[in-house]
Amino acid sequence: MSSFVSGALGALTVLVAAGIARRAAWHRWRRHGGRFGARRVLRRIGATPEQERAVLAETDALAEVLGALRRDAGALRGDLAELLASPSLDPARVGAALDARLSRAGELRARLAEAVARIHAALGPEQRARLAALVREGPHGRCGRHRHAAPA
């Protein structure tokens, strides 16, 4: 076998192995539902295992509602595209398409309010203060690149 062919096979093997590793990591992340950020926050506030279970149950339920809302957004895009492609636009049909999706957004609002109340009840005063500080700082903390100057 020539050195070119063996080198090409070696490179191909490395690329295939990297693709398999990437796919396995993606599946592992998806299996855990992207909970790593929530677990990190819970560790930072000193949550007990029982509190972790309660908070993660709420975040999982919210993730399901958000997933349904995302799927609805895709359906809404399709509906609006059909309405825009029609020879004449009926405002009532546009309103009906929007109203169906906005009612689901209202459901999300109610579910989010309930989840925040349950998370608040599950945490102690010090944990709530730490969580509030993390929420106030945002995802990048005080030195985050997306942090804007405070208004004067």
Side-chain angles (χ1 to χ4, degrees):
M1 183 178 321
S2 73
S3 61
F4 173 77
V5 172
S6 64
L9 287 175
L12 183 62
T13 302
V14 168
L15 289 174
V16 168
I20 291 170
R22 181 176 179 219
R23 187 172 175 92
W26 172 252
H27 283 294
R28 188 177 324 116
W29 182 82
R30 292 295 297 160
R31 186 173 51 246
H32 292 292
R35 296 168 122 196
F36 299 120
R39 286 185 189 275
R40 184 173 44 235
V41 168
L42 290 168
R43 275 194 303 272
R44 286 183 69 183
I45 67 171
T48 65
E50 295 82 27
Q51 290 171 322
E52 267 192 43
R53 281 191 290 277
V55 170
L56 290 175
E58 292 300 324
T59 58
D60 288 347
L62 286 174
E64 288 177 22
V65 174
L66 284 170
L69 194 62
R70 275 190 213 105
R71 287 186 294 279
D72 272 353
L76 176 61
R77 272 195 318 271
D79 291 349
L80 288 176
E82 285 181 28
L83 290 169
L84 289 169
S86 67
S88 64
L89 186 65
D90 180 12
R93 287 183 58 205
V94 173
L98 291 172
D99 287 343
R101 279 29 179 237
L102 290 177
S103 70
R104 290 188 184 96
E107 293 169 14
L108 172 64
R109 180 191 173 285
R111 181 66 184 98
L112 182 59
E114 294 168 2
V116 169
R118 281 195 277 271
I119 289 170
H120 182 272
L123 300 176
E126 287 182 24
Q127 292 168 322
R128 289 193 297 262
R130 284 188 222 136
L131 180 60
L134 291 172
V135 168
R136 193 172 294 115
E137 291 173 2
H140 300 290
R142 291 184 175 263
C143 298
R145 59 193 163 117
H146 295 294
R147 183 125 176 135
H148 300 287

